[in-house]
């Protein structure tokens, strides 16, 4: 087995044909992690930034993973395997697994042990998945490079002097580096699609509500969605099918309606003017893909009329998201859970715990969030941003109503950047220009790798983003599979 290229589809066939066991497969991944990811820390995970390896993982569950693999082998032997039985998967460090640490890569939750399973985990456990470990991320999913992790950054397997993207950078690096067959990420403004693009993997941000958020450490509750990072579009669909569905524990979750199978090829609309924000060679890969899709029979409308509001969606996002994040993070007070710094008064416990526990980017967003929600400013900022968000959502509905089935853009304006290159927060925020509108509108989008561009002699992957209307995942998988082929 070649772990750098193996897919879930291939592993499923091999496991069911008994070419190798789930235990052998798991051991192969554990060995790859040992070889590439740096020294494995002993439990419980402490600080281990600055390691030699990729550092995709914050913690690897070797023994438990082997036990899970053995159980999967028994199930396969009984002929009862589900699509993901015995498949080794990595989980972003913001999803709860009972009895294991989930830290959101923050000091404030460094030793927090989850007391229940997130719904996505329950669903994966039912299929008999093997959980390899928890992956590194930007603290509380705030960032686009994984540099905001309290435990040291993750490196891009394609060039270790560059970031893997973020905030699900550890998950993308694990998949791309042959250290997991698939991984779960979460996407609030691009955190699945952007790292997938920068690492050459496939990333799906599902329709808002399609996947339960129960047991996901919240960032912006009206924007967050869990989704898969995989090596192929078919694998993305397998994982999505395993985790989707209405969940009574998340009142915003929904059951997506079955899409009637449309025989005809979907019409592709190009957000041309918007896409021009990308660097020249990234745009060249994008245009080449469009050309090939046309040649294979697709109708490509280039350009489609689209609102100029798209260019301003970052402004709306960076008000709505910190507003929600500041509210969600209020629960980390040194009393309920996580870090608690002793002090004379309760007020000092709050202040000291939060001052020591949260990193600079998280503190920045709490400040912005509380400011835009405060009396006297909420009308000027928060309410205007939510009104703009509604307008962006309507604009997408309108564009799709005009006979276009999917919209496309590059996933990111540039390939992977170097560590420290975007130390200025605004430069970092701009990396999400193409991904953020999708979260504001609550619609699904898929990033598929489309070749590489050269930076200092290294071939760096770039992604092609396909956006569908609400509940349009099936269309994304269909077009995505063709993008993968052409
Ligand atoms: N990079 C964006 C941010 O920093 C998106 C993060 C995310 O999707 N979790 O907010």
């Amino acid at each position: 087995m070649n772990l750098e290229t193996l897919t879930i589809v291939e592993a499923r066939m091999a496991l069911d044909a008994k070419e190798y066991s789930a235990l052998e497969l798991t051991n192969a991944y554990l060995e790859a992690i040992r070889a590439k990811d740096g020294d494995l820390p002993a439990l419980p995970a402490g600080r281990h930034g600055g390691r030699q390896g990729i550092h995709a993982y914050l913690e690897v569950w070797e023994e438990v993973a082997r036990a899970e693999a053995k159980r999967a082998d028994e199930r396969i032997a009984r002929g009862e395997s589900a699509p993901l039985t015995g498949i080794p998967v990595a989980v972003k460090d913001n999803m709860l697994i009972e009895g294991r640490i989930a830290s959101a890569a923050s000091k404030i939750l460094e030793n927090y042990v989850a007391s229940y399973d997130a719904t996505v985990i329950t669903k994966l456990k039912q299929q008999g998945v093997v959980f390899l470990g928890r992956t590194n991320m930007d603290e509380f999913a705030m960032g686009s490079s994984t540099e905001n992790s309290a435990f040291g950054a993750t490196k891009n397997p394609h060039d270790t002097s560059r970031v893997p993207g973020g905030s699900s950078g550890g998950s993308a690096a694990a998949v791309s580096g042959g250290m997991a067959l698939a991984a779960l990420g979460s996407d609030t403004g691009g955190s699945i699609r952007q790292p997938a693009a920068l690492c050459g993997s496939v990333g799906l941000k599902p329709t808002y509500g399609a996947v339960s958020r129960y047991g996901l450490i919240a960032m912006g509750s009206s924007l967050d969605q869990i989704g898969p990072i995989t090596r192929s579009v078919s694998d993305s669909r397998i994982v999505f099918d395993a985790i989707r569905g209405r969940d009574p524990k998340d009142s915003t979750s929904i059951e997506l309606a079955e899409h009637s199978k449309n025989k005809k090829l979907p019409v592709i609309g190009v957000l041309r003017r918007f896409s021009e924000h990308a660097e020249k060679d990234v745009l060249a890969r994008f245009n080449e893909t469009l050309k090939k899709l046309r040649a294979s029979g697709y109708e490509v409308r280039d350009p489609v009329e689209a609102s100029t509001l798209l260019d301003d969606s970052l402004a709306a996002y960076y008000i709505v998201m910190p507003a929600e994040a500041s509210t969600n993070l209020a629960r980390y007070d040194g009393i309920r859970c996580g870090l608690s710094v002793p002090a004379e008064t309760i007020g000092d416990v709050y202040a000291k715990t939060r001052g020591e526990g949260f990193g600079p980017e998280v503190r920045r967003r709490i400040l912005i969030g509380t400011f835009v929600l405060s009396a006297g400013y909420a009308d000027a900022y928060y309410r205007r941003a939510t009104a703009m968000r509604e307008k962006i959502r309507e604009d997408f509905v309108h564009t799709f109503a005009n006979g276009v089935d999917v919209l496309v853009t590059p996933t990111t304006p540039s390939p992977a950047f170097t560590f420290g290159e975007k130390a200025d927060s605004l430069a970092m925020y701009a990396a999400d220009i193409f991904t953020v509108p999708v979260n504001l509108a609550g619609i699904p989008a898929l990033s598929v790798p489309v070749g590489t561009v050269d930076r200092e002699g290294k071939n760096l992957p770039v992604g092609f983003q396909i956006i569908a209307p609400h509940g349009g995942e099936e269309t994304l998988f269909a077009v995505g599979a063709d993008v993968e082929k052409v």
Side-chain angles (χ1 to χ4, degrees):
M1 57 187 102
N2 177 359
L3 300 190
E4 309 263 332
T5 58
L6 187 68
T7 63
I8 296 177
V9 174
E10 291 162 0
R12 172 83 275 126
M13 288 196 303
L15 287 170
D16 289 343
K18 317 273 170 23
E19 278 169 36
Y20 44 76
S21 67
L23 183 59
E24 284 166 333
L25 184 63
T26 299
N27 280 332
Y29 276 103
L30 292 172
E31 245 165 66
I33 296 168
R34 274 182 186 284
K36 297 180 191 171
D37 209 43
D39 321 324
L40 291 182
L43 284 172
R47 288 173 165 284
H48 30 264
R51 294 191 299 182
Q52 289 304 302
I54 300 288
H55 194 211
Y57 285 92
L58 288 175
E59 187 183 349
V60 179
W61 301 308
E62 288 209 31
E63 285 318 308
V64 199
R66 287 200 186 96
E68 287 164 348
K70 281 183 201 151
R71 275 204 301 279
D73 279 328
E74 288 160 20
R75 181 163 166 181
I76 295 167
R78 291 195 303 270
E80 290 167 6
S81 60
L84 292 174
T85 308
I87 300 295
V89 165
V91 180
K92 188 176 180 178
D93 191 29
N94 60 355
M95 293 170 217
L96 308 192
I97 307 184
E98 189 185 342
R100 306 191 198 182
I101 291 176
S103 80
S106 179
K107 278 204 296 177
I108 213 161
L109 289 176
E110 183 169 2
N111 300 309
Y112 167 71
V113 177
S115 53
Y116 63 94
D117 283 334
T119 296
V120 290
I121 299 299
T122 306
K123 288 181 177 246
L124 293 182
K125 279 186 174 174
Q126 281 161 0
Q127 292 220 359
V129 157
V130 173
F131 297 103
L132 290 170
R134 55 188 174 96
T135 54
N136 200 14
M137 56 185 280
D138 287 296
E139 184 178 2
F140 283 104
M142 298 178 183
S144 313
S145 68
T146 319
E147 289 166 290
N148 293 337
S149 166
F151 308 114
T154 297
K155 297 169 191 151
N156 191 315
H158 293 265
D159 176 354
T160 51
S161 69
R162 290 173 188 271
V163 304
S167 63
S168 316
S171 285
V175 171
S176 140
M179 295 185 284
L181 202 33
L184 291 184
S186 65
D187 193 312
T188 304
S191 282
I192 290 174
R193 290 159 287 158
Q194 188 257 13
L198 269 39
C199 288
S201 307
V202 174
L204 171 73
K205 183 267 170 199
T207 300
Y208 182 76
V211 178
S212 169
R213 290 178 295 112
Y214 181 73
L216 169 70
I217 297 177
M219 180 183 173
S221 305
S222 77
L223 303 156
D224 299 341
Q225 260 306 274
I226 295 172
I229 297 179
T230 54
R231 209 161 285 126
S232 73
V233 174
S234 338
D235 283 5
S236 182
R237 184 211 208 107
I238 292 171
V239 178
F240 175 63
D241 280 341
I243 59 175
R244 66 191 275 187
R246 156 116 185 99
D247 175 14
K249 293 180 180 137
D250 172 3
S251 60
T252 63
S253 67
I254 49 168
E255 200 67 57
L256 292 184
E258 285 289 321
H259 262 260
S260 54
K261 278 260 177 307
N262 201 340
K263 293 253 152 42
K264 162 169 132 321
L265 278 183
V267 176
I268 298 175
V270 183
L271 294 172
R272 175 56 61 187
R273 195 191 40 76
F274 186 48
S275 298
E276 301 287 332
H277 289 289
E279 288 175 10
K280 258 208 180 98
D281 49 0
V282 174
L283 207 51
R285 291 299 89 76
F286 176 70
N287 289 333
E288 285 156 21
T289 307
L290 289 173
K291 212 167 147 192
K292 291 181 194 158
L293 287 169
R294 249 196 204 109
S296 69
Y298 274 92
E299 177 184 342
V300 179
R301 293 195 198 155
D302 185 5
V304 287
E305 289 269 350
S307 157
T308 51
L309 270 184
L310 284 182
D311 303 73
D312 298 322
S313 24
L314 277 174
Y317 172 79
Y318 275 99
I319 290 175
V320 174
M321 174 273 301
E324 294 187 9
S326 70
T327 312
N328 276 324
L329 293 171
R331 71 186 64 143
Y332 305 107
D333 56 3
I335 308 293
R336 291 178 174 89
C337 62
L339 181 73
S340 184
V341 181
E344 289 289 302
T345 66
I346 186 96
D348 284 348
V349 171
Y350 294 160
K352 290 205 165 127
T353 300
R354 291 167 67 82
E356 285 181 28
F358 290 136
E361 184 60 26
V362 177
R363 293 205 296 266
R364 177 179 298 119
R365 296 195 193 195
I366 292 173
L367 287 175
I368 297 172
T370 42
F371 176 78
V372 300
L373 288 173
S374 58
Y377 293 101
D379 281 332
Y381 294 100
Y382 181 67
R383 293 204 179 84
R384 276 174 72 189
T386 47
M388 205 172 126
R389 174 184 192 175
E390 184 51 25
K391 212 38 207 105
I392 291 168
R393 197 190 62 77
E394 280 168 16
D395 283 341
F396 271 115
V397 171
H398 184 75
T399 312
F400 285 123
N402 283 337
V404 172
D405 298 304
V406 292
L407 291 166
V408 296
T409 71
T411 309
T412 58
S414 73
F417 40 93
T418 54
F419 291 99
E421 189 179 327
K422 296 193 194 293
D424 165 26
S425 303
L426 290 181
M428 186 73 84
Y429 298 169
D432 299 319
I433 182 149
F434 298 134
T435 49
V436 151
V438 166
N439 300 72
L440 288 173
I443 54 183
L446 181 73
S447 177
V448 182
V450 284
T452 58
V453 294
D454 181 281
R455 291 289 179 282
E456 290 159 357
K458 293 264 166 70
N459 292 328
L460 304 177
V462 294
F464 183 88
Q465 179 177 235
I466 316 163
I467 307 169
H470 197 268
E473 273 84 347
E474 283 306 318
T475 319
L476 290 183
F477 293 134
V479 180
D482 285 335
V483 170
E484 210 168 39
K485 258 187 272 160
V486 295

